[in-house]
Amino acid sequence: MTDPARRDGADGPLVVRTPEELRRALADAGRVGLVPTMGALHGGHRSLMRLARERADTVVVSVFVNPLQFGPEEDLDQYPRDLPGDTRLCGEEGVDVVFAPETATMYPRPQMVTVDAGAMGERLEGASRPGHFTGVLTVVTKLFQLVRPDLAVFGAKDAQQIALVRRMVDDLDLPVEIVGAPTLREPDGLASSSRNVYLSEADRASALFLSRALRAGADAATGGTVAVREAARAVLDEAARATPPVELDYLALVDPATFADAADDHRGDAVLAVAARVGRTRLIDNVTVPLRT
Ligand code: AMP
């Protein structure tokens, strides 16, 4: 940062909209930590910012609703946007720079060259949202190139995303340290999400079945993979009969390195992941299940 006084966030973060402004803001920035987001920031994002704040001299939060990762039938246009509120929240967390580019700045012409997420990118979220992870990895690569961070923080809430980002960084020798942040939950267990604002009170009550199912699965860990899957499935069967119903997209217990189904005799950590629609809102959640016996 050229102006060290801004580093305590007292004046609020510097909001920049273009790569040129960003470059100027990051002259003499020291160790840079990046938190990539799509905005509509909440407590989950705050926890990522705090991890970055502890590890970096200059914290950059990007706020960009990336069209490349949305399918044609998805909620790109309805996705919540609130840059003034986001900037205030970033100020409270001592963020130095908010990078909020326009779509035309990030994609001045149709993107021809993209980052292929490979087989892991075609499973679970990738199967339900074809092209999603190509969009994610492409924008993350662009953000890494623009910000040149020493470290970047991602949430375990999007377990497949952080696994793919880690794999990309390894496979492509990108000089960025990836820091993972645990999933922040509301007091009732619902994973914090920008999309939670879409939920009516009744939707929200039904949405609680997701975290309940994951907890039931994790609690069955000593019984092995079959018991984990059965325990979570039983809760989701009940959820399908709730009002409004929880319409399951997938429930899967996967190997965290590949996101392929965990073998029946899997040992070590596995990820129990769920995606479902409640009302018109699609929600995802996951927990890590240690399988030791
Ligand atoms: P998004 O704005 O939803 O694209 O999320 C930006 C980053 O925040 C991603 O790395 C997410 O995994 C992370 N994130 C979102 N929700 C949570 C949460 N409840 N707990 C921890 N991290 C989260």
Side-chain angles (χ1 to χ4, degrees):
M1 291 288 292
T2 41
D3 176 7
R6 282 191 175 280
R7 285 201 187 156
D8 61 7
D11 305 328
L14 191 61
V15 180
V16 298
R17 314 288 309 219
T18 67
E20 294 69 33
E21 289 172 354
L22 182 64
R23 243 186 312 277
R24 254 181 277 131
L26 294 180
D28 308 320
R31 194 169 157 76
V32 174
L34 171 65
V35 180
T37 80
M38 298 205 300
L41 301 176
H42 52 70
H45 298 113
R46 279 187 199 268
S47 64
L48 273 56
M49 292 173 202
R50 285 176 197 170
L51 286 181
R53 185 70 283 169
E54 284 167 13
R55 289 165 171 73
D57 301 313
T58 299
V59 176
V60 180
V61 171
S62 60
V63 174
F64 180 61
V65 183
N66 174 35
L68 218 58
Q69 71 190 66
F70 286 76
E73 307 296 317
E74 292 181 3
D75 58 348
L76 174 63
D77 293 336
Q78 289 84 46
Y79 198 84
R81 289 167 172 83
D82 176 19
L83 188 57
D86 291 345
T87 305
R88 257 193 317 276
L89 184 149
C90 286
E92 288 164 12
E93 297 302 332
V95 168
D96 301 289
V97 178
V98 172
F99 177 46
E102 298 287 349
T103 303
T105 305
M106 291 296 276
Y107 301 115
R109 52 190 175 169
Q111 189 79 4
M112 185 182 291
V113 178
T114 55
V115 180
D116 183 335
M120 200 196 327
E122 287 170 11
R123 301 187 179 124
L124 304 193
E125 280 302 282
S128 298
R129 306 180 67 187
H132 171 67
F133 286 119
T134 293
V136 169
L137 295 186
T138 300
V139 80
V140 167
T141 303
K142 285 168 75 79
L143 290 168
F144 284 178
Q145 286 302 111
L146 292 166
V147 177
R148 304 282 173 125
D150 296 277
L151 63 97
V153 189
F154 292 84
K157 160 82 169 30
D158 298 277
Q160 195 174 0
Q161 170 173 282
I162 188 171
L164 275 163
V165 168
R166 286 189 194 282
R167 184 63 190 251
M168 172 177 78
V169 162
D170 274 0
D171 284 358
L172 301 182
D173 303 302
L174 304 184
V176 188
E177 179 196 345
I178 303 302
V179 176
T183 300
L184 186 94
R185 297 180 181 281
E186 305 298 323
D188 58 10
L190 182 70
S192 302
S193 166
S194 303
R195 288 190 170 96
N196 290 352
V197 298
Y198 300 144
L199 298 172
S200 69
E201 213 171 301
D203 290 343
R204 198 190 153 100
S206 291
L208 288 180
F209 278 104
L210 266 60
S211 54
R212 219 177 284 161
L214 296 178
R215 243 186 350 263
D219 287 348
T222 51
T225 54
V226 174
V228 170
R229 289 186 173 109
E230 276 177 3
R233 171 71 63 175
V235 175
L236 291 169
D237 285 347
E238 191 190 329
R241 297 189 295 270
T243 312
V246 174
E247 298 164 51
L248 186 63
D249 179 351
Y250 61 76
L251 169 73
L253 184 67
V254 297
D255 183 324
T258 60
F259 274 71
D261 279 335
D264 284 350
D265 61 353
H266 183 89
R267 293 289 172 274
D269 284 349
V271 174
L272 182 61
V274 66
R277 202 167 282 282
V278 179
R280 290 169 52 202
T281 309
R282 187 171 181 280
L283 299 170
I284 62 170
D285 198 355
N286 71 89
V287 289
T288 296
V289 181
L291 293 161
R292 306 279 177 244
T293 50

